Every structure is written in C-alpha cells, then in structure tokens.
Amino acid sequence: MENNLKKVDIIFEDSDKCAPLKVLEKTLKRTADDIILDLIDSGLKGRGGAGFPTGLKWKFTRNETSDVKYVICNADEGEPGTFKDREILDRVPEKIFTGMAICGYVVGAREGYIYLRGEYNFLLKSLLKKLNDFNAALKKLNVDFQIYFKSGSGAYVCGEESALFESMEGKRGEPRNKPPYPTVAGYNSKPTVINNVETLVYTTMICHMGPEKFKALGTSDSRGSKVFSVSGDTPIPGIYELELGMPLHDFVNEFGDGDTKAVQVGGASGHCVPRKKFNDTIIGFEGIPTGGSMMIFNSSRSMYNVLHDYLEFFAEESCGQCTPCRVGCQQLLKGIEAVKRGERPPAYLDDLKKLTGTMKIAAKCGLGQSVGNPFNSIIDNFREEIIY
Amino acid sequence: MSKYLVNLKINNMPVAVEEGTTILEAAKRLNFRIPTLCNHPDLTVAGNCRVCVVEVKGARLLAASCATPVSEGMEVFTNSEKVRKARKHIVELLLSEHNADCTKCFKNGHCELQELASEYRIGDHVFLDLVTPESMIQDISSPSIVKDDSKCIRCQRCVRTCAELQGVSALAVVNKGDHQKISTFLNKPLHEVVCTNCGQCINRCPTGALTERNYIEEVWNAIYDPSKFVVVQTAPATRIALGEDLGIPVGERVTGKMVSALKKLGFNKVLDTDFTADLTIMEEGTELLTRLKKALVDKDEKTVLPMMTSCSPGWIKFQEHMYSDMLDNLSTCKSPQQMFGAVAKTYYADKINIKAQDMIVVSIMPCVAKKFECERPEMRDSGYQDVDYVLTTRELAMMIKQAGIDFHKLDEDHYDSILGESSGAAVIFGATGGVMEAALRTAYEIVTGREVPFTNLNIQPVRGMEGIKDATIKIKNVKPEWSFLEGVDLHVAIAHGLANARQLMEKVRRGEAVYHFIEVMGCPGGCLGGGGQPIPTSPEIRKKRAEAIYSEDEDMPIRKSHENPEVLEIYKEFLGEPLSHKSHDLLHTHYKPRKRY
C-alpha cells in the first residue's frame, strides 16, 4: 500500500558518526545565546507530550539569576504504551548525557539529574558505568558539570515535572501549584530545566547537525521527527523514529494488521481515534500530539474494556490531592460500570462528559486534566460499546 | 524590599494590590468572597480542594485563587458560568466521597462542606456514593479526638496543622488515588501514635472528620443523678471565648454569664481553675527558686535547668514522645486542672462534708488534651479519678443551647467559694507567656520583697504572639535569704505551638541558649487558641482573645497569685507550705518516656 510515512534515523544514529563527546567539545566553543538561537530556530518542542519549545525553556532558565540551577532529565517514562525512552537509555545514553551537559553550560547549572523510572532499575548497572566514564570525561574537559541518577518509586504522577521535584526532594510525589514554573523554581526551588530523555538527545543532535536538517523534517507546527512506541494489534510492534505531521491513515497502513478499529494516540491520557477519522488525523502538534505511544486496536477489542482499564489506571494513579482528579476518576470508572450494569441510564454518560469538562480546567495537574481525552474520545466514538 | 502594586480587574472592577497577593486576597479587598475549603489563615497554601477556582481571561485552565498570585492586567471572574459549573461539580464530588448523614454528625450546623452544599443548593446527588463501609469505622481509641474517615474530604488542613504548627506529623497522607486517606504511622489507632491530643486538627477540620470525644451525655447524667455532687471548674481561657459559640463577638469576656449559665445547668458548685492556677504559681514558683538554689549554690548535679512548665498536657505528651531525655526539666507540678481535682476531692470534699466518691469533678477546658490528661493513671491522688469529665468550651456552649438558656440575657454571677477566688495572674495562664508572667510576679516578689519592675505589673517582654520569645530579668537588692540570686540575670523563654517548642528544645539541647525557666504551651497563642476553643481560629481571632485575657487581668482586684486569700488559706489549713509533703502527694506528678512514632 502506498503511503508517505518517512522513517528517520537521528536518535539512534551510529555513535561512530556522531561521537557525543566530540559534539560536546564542539558545542562548548559556541556561546550560550547561539545555542539557544539554534534550538529556537530548529522548532524543537518537548518530546514528553506537552510540547513546550525547548529553546525557550532553556532561555527562561538561563535568564534567571541564581547561584544554583539544575538540569533534570525526566526518565520516568510511565505513560501506558510508551517504551521509547527505555530504548534510548539503553542504546544511546551518552547522547542524553551530552544534551544535559550542553544544557548545563547554556543555563549555568553545575548539576544534572536523571530521574529514572523505578521499573527501569535493571538498566542502572550499565548506565552507571557509562555515566561514570562520561562524568570523568567532563572533568577531563574541565567542564564544571556532573550528572547523577535518582530513582523513582513507581508512581505515574511523578512523571509530572513538579511531582518529580517533590519526589526527588524526598517528599510525597504530588504536583505543585503553578506558578512558579520550573524555570523559576523547580528542584530545591531553584531554576531548573526539566526535559524528556528524547528531547535531550535531539538537542545533542541539533548541535551536531545544525537546525536546518532538523527543521527540514516535519511540518511548520511540528518540526523534526519523533520516536514512536508502537504496540497493540500490529504485526511489527516496536520503536520507530518517524517524521512528524503524518496522517494517521499512513501510520495504520504501515503498522496495522488490516483490521484496525482504532488507535489510541498518546497513551492512556491521549485520544482514541476511530477508523473513520484516520484520514483526517494528523500526528503532531497541529493535530493529536503524542509522547510517542501508539496503541493499535483491531475489531476483536472491546472499547469498554479499554476505557475501563484506563480509568482503573487513573483512579489508582491519581496522587489524590485534588478533588477533581481524585474523586472525578473514581466517578468516571464507577459511572461506566453503573451504565454497563444498567444501574444508570445511558444519558448518565453525558453527565460524566460534563464532569470531564470540569476536570480538564479545574484539576491541579496534567493527569486530572487529561483523563477526559480518552474518556470523551471513546464515549463519543464507541458509545454503543459502553452501554451494551 | 518595597513591593510593587499590581493592577488587575476582578469581575470588571479595578483593584491595585501588592505584588505577591493571591487572587483570593485581592477579591476580598473588593468584597468578593470566594469559597474555600483547604485554605486556612494559619497554614501554607495547598490549592488542592479546588473549590476556590476562578476564571482568568485568556487562560486555558481555571486558577485556584488561593494559590495564584495576581499579575499585571489580569482579568478575573469569580462567578462566571464556567466557574459556577466547575465549583458545583467539585462540591458534588466532595459530597460523593463524604458520609453526608448530617443529622448524626457532631459538626452538624458547623460544617464548612454543609454550608457550601447549602449555598450551592446541591439537591439530588448526581454522582455515585463512594463512601465505603470500612471508612465509616471511627477511630475512638483516643480519649480526646475522634477520627471519622467517612467524613474526610482530604483537604489536608489537619496534616498541615500537625506538621507546620505542631511539628508532630501524627497525621499524614497515605496511599494514592482512590485509596488516598489521612492516617497515622502504620494506620495505628490515634492513641498508639505520637498524637499529643492537642486537637489543633479539630480546630481546622472543615467537616466532622476530626472532632473531640464528647462527654456531654455523661455530664448531663451526673447532673441528673441525685446521689452525685457535681462541681465544675472553668479554665482561664474559656471565659474569653465561650461567647463566640453563642453569638457574642470575638474578644468579649463572658466570665459572669458563664458562671450564671453553669449554675442554671444544675452544677452543684461552680468553681474556678484560676484558683489552682494561683496554687500552681505558688508551687511552681517555689520549685523554680528551689531548683535555682540547688543548681547554682549546692551544685547538685541531679537538678537540671532550665525548668519547664507543665500546665499544657499536649506539651507534656509531646515531651514524653520527642524529648524523653529532658523529662527531668519539666516542673513536677500538675496542671491547674489536675491540682483542682486532687484538692476538690480531698480538702474541699472534707470542708463541705461530701464523700469523695460521691463527688464528680467536671472541667470546662479550652483543650482536648485535658480529656486525656484526666485519664492518666498518675492523676488519681485523691484515691479516685481526680477529674471525672472534661468538656471543651464548645461542648459547654452546646449544653447551654440544649438547656434553652438565652446566654445574651443572662445576669453576671460570681464563682462559689471556696476554690472560686483567683487573681489576674491566674487568668493570664490562658495566653502564651501568661504562666511566665504570673510566676515572675510572684517569684520576684518572694525574692526581693518588691513588685516586678514593670508598669502596672504588665511584663510586656513575655507577651505577644511571636513563636519564641525570650527575656532577661535582672534580680537586684534581694532579701538576705535569697542572697545567692543577687545580681543574677534570670533568663526565660516562652514558646507556643509545638513546632516552636521543638525549635526551642533543639536550641536548649545544642546548648545555644542558656535559660533558667521556659514556658511552653502546646497550642498556638496558648490556651486561648486551644483545641477545644470555638471554631474558627485565626491569628486575628487569637489576638482579640489575648486582648480580652489581659483586660480581664487588669480588672481583677488581685493581680498576684500569692495574694489570693483562698490560696493562703489552703496552705494554712491544709497544705502547710509550697512543696510540703502534702503538696507533693496531691499537687505534683511524674512523667514517662513514650515511643517516637
């Protein structure tokens, strides 16, 4: 079948061609402002899902006056269906370290931390060895920057940046009130850049190859490429780096099993796209953005079960501090159960949709705010499966 | 640093406020009330209940007004359609996880969630009931505090109170999501953990999740029992706060009306804890002077300084848990409540010819830790439980309402005698620094024969709401028998609220500060801010209560404990002298180390 899907090889590009330390040495000869300009010019947006322009984030942090600043790599990859950071950590960790060191140079930080998802501790042994070598190399280059690991303990919400800081500080992992934002007061209330694993690798690669090559890929809203975690009903699950801005239709042609009913774009907190909308759906910031998770469902799947699983997950993983999320998630879960059992009329689903409207604007963090994404997109497109 | 003024509009009305002001505060200036639940003037901002959300023009999300600082040009709407819908949803969600069987609730009529539900006319419950049977099992293990998780709305005011104001953290958040709740170390019952029973959590709980263990029915039963002679004592801080629960403005003294009401309720005698507060000063002041002599002159190694007050049962339990190595620093004096019980069931019972076993001693206290204190096994020196029941100021207000007494119209009455006379020094026990001031008024005069060198006896340096205060009193021209104190600088310190107490203890332990005498009150502001006082509480309310206490002191004909004639009489007739053998038997006690979790 014909499609325009473009596979890319930047993230995992052979380290022989792109030696991270060489990139670092080369980059540190440039001014911080130049590096920021390149990043802004490249159009790189955060690859964790929220899509904040990386160059701006670095610039804001650089502009803060503080003796102590931090660079943090968010490696708490917890979104269901996402597993690309694991692969990056395993295969090209030096590119992550390099991105952090460049960031430290740009914003004026001397310490970097990798907040590693608790379940990825099996990677730690080999990562630590590589990290020690890298830290030693930094010292040799007289770069005043060292990187350390901190291990997460398994709470999904700790991938939310401010909950991550709380967790790093030894507290309960609960999101903070914003403002202040991390660029002003992050870890230990100091100005902090927090970037996703993949974002940091792209910063390294943009420094290596220049912004032009990067922004030649993708669309005006979604520059560059992105690593996708493809799972579900596909004959070829795995990690793929693809150009952003593709129609979902092309994606399904490449990865589907010929019987694709829906794709959940962006993990449990993302949107469910039914077959009839594949043609009109763009994967990118102008359409449906994703942290990388692409879950493919074929006609054998019950969308009630899919939604039920997601809601069970959110009801359990809500940190519990704010009302809309803690109680809202439970109500959504118990609500669809009640409708399924006939204890509430089908119209109760509309009450629940209104509730997601409140959660979206009144919950304290992205977790509660985004539960409505899967809920509404599944209810709207597969209503009969929920009721009957 | 001077602060900039920020201009913004709230509901289309312009306002200029200092940089850093929250939207909630700015709205208040324009007389727009935004409802809150997790917010409390004594605590850090949580921003977790989300009831206070408002719409900010151009923002994707609603902002929690308690947690969002104003910014230049901001346009805020506190009651837009979006806001109202969201706020109503949030109240409905809270109600869905709340045991809303309001008529059975001790806080019925005093519940912030109930008020909000009524304000928003929440009728039929839209959402499913999430209250679990397990959550409805109350923790009644503590003699002071009842914890009912089915009423809890997870606002975490109690958690912040216990951590920020009290430095205890007996209550904390456990689990997450649908299993999140407020609990104790390993979910143990309250009486098995570090809880000091201070009840500050009760004062700030918006619902009925944390309440005092109430003994109203027991007290009514005692009053109705013709075979019992029921005497009641009232703590200093009750008389300046009781009115708040009965429709009288904050800061108004209701001493006479309270006595009058107690008589109408049917208590056989209405007596005063202030009497034993004066007695405490005699014992504790003498103990201090004796300790100073032992430590400074006799160089007795067993005598430790600084001596620390022991009136506050929350503070005592805190010390037993947290600083059990410093228990010898505590004064051996019982609290005024317990001195009262011991004296009532011995000296007083004899005097009025009532058998101790027929006497019921009821206390009206600003405190819930007193409920625990009266049940301590050490507090049975009369041969019986010295104090039988402790009611909070709030419980007394409820009894007055139940009895149909129109408090406003009551005449003022006087305490019965004996055990009813007191001094101004006693009433200031109710404010932080008061015990110190009372002790200094007496001890200084014992040592020098002169009044304390402060205008009108008001020792200003030990007053006020600063967390930790210290002062130095120079002792000069002493009487011959106190010559070892000539020229000595007496260093004293005062802390209120257990977080401040902890700071002070750390300073003492590190040897950073050398004090002779330390007063600690477990609650912010001292007893006037006690866990049994009318709700709500705030720094302003406590300030007004303190002013009332000090004006009550100034109006008393006797201002010094050692001039209380009934106190002089009890020494003459019964106790002999301070620290006598009999005093030791009845008025002094000991403490025990407790575990740290």
Side-chain angles (χ1 to χ4, degrees), chain A residues 144-316:
Chain A
D144 186 10
F145 189 79
Q146 293 285 288
I147 300 172
Y148 311 90
F149 274 105
K150 286 235 178 186
S151 182
S153 303
Y156 170 69
V157 76
C158 287
E160 196 279 344
E161 52 196 22
S162 64
L164 186 150
F165 300 145
E166 292 285 300
S167 168
M168 280 181 66
E169 291 172 17
K171 301 176 199 150
R172 230 182 112 79
E174 289 184 345
R176 298 173 180 169
N177 291 305
K178 288 168 216 159
Y181 294 94
T183 52
V184 177
Y187 178 49
N188 288 336
S189 300
K190 301 290 180 192
T192 303
V193 168
I194 176 161
N195 279 143
N196 174 261
V197 170
E198 184 187 338
T199 312
L200 285 163
V201 175
Y202 276 122
T203 61
T204 304
M205 298 312 289
I206 288 166
C207 290
H208 169 60
M209 65 191 188
E212 294 305 328
K213 274 190 189 162
F214 183 82
K215 76 177 183 189
L217 295 168
T219 63
S220 60
D221 288 324
S222 310
R223 296 286 183 203
S225 51
K226 156 120 206 57
V227 184
F228 289 85
S229 313
V230 183
S231 66
D233 296 315
T234 165
I236 45 168
I239 309 277
Y240 300 90
E241 186 174 6
L242 305 170
E243 188 178 5
L244 277 174
M246 63 187 162
L248 186 55
H249 173 82
D250 291 348
F251 175 86
V252 173
N253 278 350
E254 176 78 17
F255 295 100
D257 63 358
D259 183 25
T260 303
K261 168 181 173 180
V263 179
Q264 180 73 19
V265 180
S269 67
H271 296 260
C272 184
V273 185
R275 186 192 338 235
K276 64 179 181 225
K277 292 184 185 162
F278 287 169
N279 265 329
D280 316 328
T281 302
I282 299 291
I283 304 304
F285 298 104
E286 64 269 59
I288 301 185
T290 167
S293 169
M294 302 294 275
M295 283 185 268
I296 302 172
F297 300 116
N298 68 17
S299 63
S300 71
R301 306 292 163 185
S302 151
M303 296 316 285
Y304 173 82
N305 286 346
V306 168
L307 179 58
H308 192 270
D309 278 2
Y310 290 165
L311 292 174
E312 261 187 338
F313 174 79
F314 288 124
E316 186 182 324

Side-chain angles (χ1 to χ4, degrees), chain A residues 172 177 315-318 320-324 326-327 330-331 334 344 348 354 358 360-362 364 369, chain B residues 46 48-50 61-62 67 89 93-94 96-97 126-128 130 153-154 173 175-178 180:
Chain A
R172 230 182 112 79
N177 291 305
E316 186 182 324
E317 291 296 342
S318 163
Q321 67 165 322
C322 86
T323 312
R326 176 187 67 251
V327 197
Q330 292 177 68
Q331 289 294 355
K334 297 224 153 82
R344 290 267 165 152
Y348 186 55
K354 284 182 198 153
T358 289
K360 184 175 183 166
I361 56 175
K364 192 167 183 174
Q369 289 159 14
Chain B
N48 57 26
C49 77
R50 315 306 282 180
L61 306 170
L62 299 181
H89 258 146
L93 288 176
L94 286 170
S96 78
E97 63 170 359
V126 181
F127 298 118
L128 302 164
L130 300 175
I153 57 165
R154 281 81 159 175
V173 182
N175 304 334
K176 60 183 174 9
D178 44 2
Q180 191 227 39

Side-chain angles (χ1 to χ4, degrees), chain B residues 191-229:
Chain B
H191 85 295
E192 288 180 25
V193 297
V194 289
C195 172
T196 65
N197 300 311
C198 73
Q200 287 300 313
C201 53
I202 300 175
N203 282 2
R204 291 172 185 77
C205 179
T207 68
L210 289 158
T211 52
E212 63 261 57
R213 179 90 168 266
N214 85 80
Y215 296 84
I216 294 175
E217 289 308 314
E218 284 84 346
V219 171
W220 278 124
N221 288 342
I223 290 173
Y224 292 142
D225 185 346
S227 70
K228 297 295 180 195
F229 189 84

Side-chain angles (χ1 to χ4, degrees), chain A residues 101-163:
Chain A
I102 294 171
C103 181
Y105 165 72
V106 167
V107 303
R110 287 188 295 273
E111 278 176 46
Y113 290 89
I114 298 174
Y115 186 88
L116 188 68
R117 181 178 186 197
E119 289 85 342
Y120 289 175
N121 273 344
F122 69 93
L123 291 172
L124 203 53
K125 203 176 158 193
S126 71
L127 275 175
L128 267 176
K129 197 180 161 294
K130 289 170 187 167
L131 181 67
N132 288 338
D133 291 347
F134 189 84
N135 277 337
L138 287 176
K139 280 186 181 153
K140 227 182 196 171
L141 289 171
N142 276 324
V143 178
D144 186 10
F145 189 79
Q146 293 285 288
I147 300 172
Y148 311 90
F149 274 105
K150 286 235 178 186
S151 182
S153 303
Y156 170 69
V157 76
C158 287
E160 196 279 344
E161 52 196 22
S162 64

Side-chain angles (χ1 to χ4, degrees), chain B residues 26 28 42 198 202 261 282 301 442 475 482 485 562 579 586:
Chain B
K28 242 180 236 172
D42 286 322
C198 73
I202 300 175
M282 299 303 288
E301 281 172 12
T442 289
I475 303 178
W482 300 103
L485 287 173
H562 56 277
L579 306 187
L586 290 177

Side-chain angles (χ1 to χ4, degrees), chain B residues 28-179:
Chain B
K28 242 180 236 172
R29 308 260 176 98
L30 291 172
N31 294 321
F32 290 117
R33 187 183 61 88
I34 300 172
T36 54
L37 280 173
C38 67
N39 193 54
H40 194 281
D42 286 322
L43 305 173
T44 56
V45 170
N48 57 26
C49 77
R50 315 306 282 180
V51 163
C52 73
V53 287
V54 294
E55 190 173 345
V56 176
K57 195 175 172 184
R60 185 174 57 90
L61 306 170
L62 299 181
S65 59
C66 69
T68 310
V70 295
S71 59
E72 188 64 36
M74 199 180 228
E75 286 187 52
V76 178
F77 300 92
T78 66
N79 196 39
S80 64
E81 185 186 3
K82 230 174 165 183
V83 169
R84 235 188 93 79
K85 279 188 177 157
R87 204 175 277 159
K88 206 168 164 188
H89 258 146
I90 291 164
V91 176
E92 280 169 340
L93 288 176
L94 286 170
L95 285 168
S96 78
E97 63 170 359
H98 177 81
N99 173 4
D101 205 347
C102 294
T103 56
K104 290 185 191 162
C105 182
F106 190 64
K107 286 285 282 290
N108 189 12
H110 302 274
C111 169
E112 294 178 43
L113 181 61
Q114 193 182 39
E115 267 174 50
L116 215 51
S118 149
E119 200 171 295
Y120 280 81
R121 292 287 137 204
I122 307 286
D124 288 341
H125 290 186
V126 181
F127 298 118
L128 302 164
D129 186 359
L130 300 175
V131 179
T132 61
E134 308 89 75
S135 74
M136 290 174 78
I137 303 168
Q138 297 181 336
D139 179 355
I140 51 166
S141 63
S142 155
S144 300
I145 300 171
V146 177
K147 180 168 172 282
D148 183 344
D149 288 346
S150 71
K151 311 268 177 63
C152 176
I153 57 165
R154 281 81 159 175
C155 68
Q156 303 187 27
R157 278 193 197 166
C158 57
V159 173
R160 282 174 285 149
T161 299
C162 205
E164 295 168 11
L165 301 179
Q166 301 300 70
V168 172
S169 288
L171 292 174
V173 182
V174 300
N175 304 334
K176 60 183 174 9
D178 44 2
H179 287 90

Side-chain angles (χ1 to χ4, degrees), chain B residues 275-276 279 339-349 419 570 587:
Chain B
F275 164 78
T276 35
L279 195 61
M339 283 197 185
F340 184 97
V343 168
K345 288 195 177 177
T346 55
Y347 168 69
Y348 183 67
L419 269 54
I570 193 177
L587 308 182

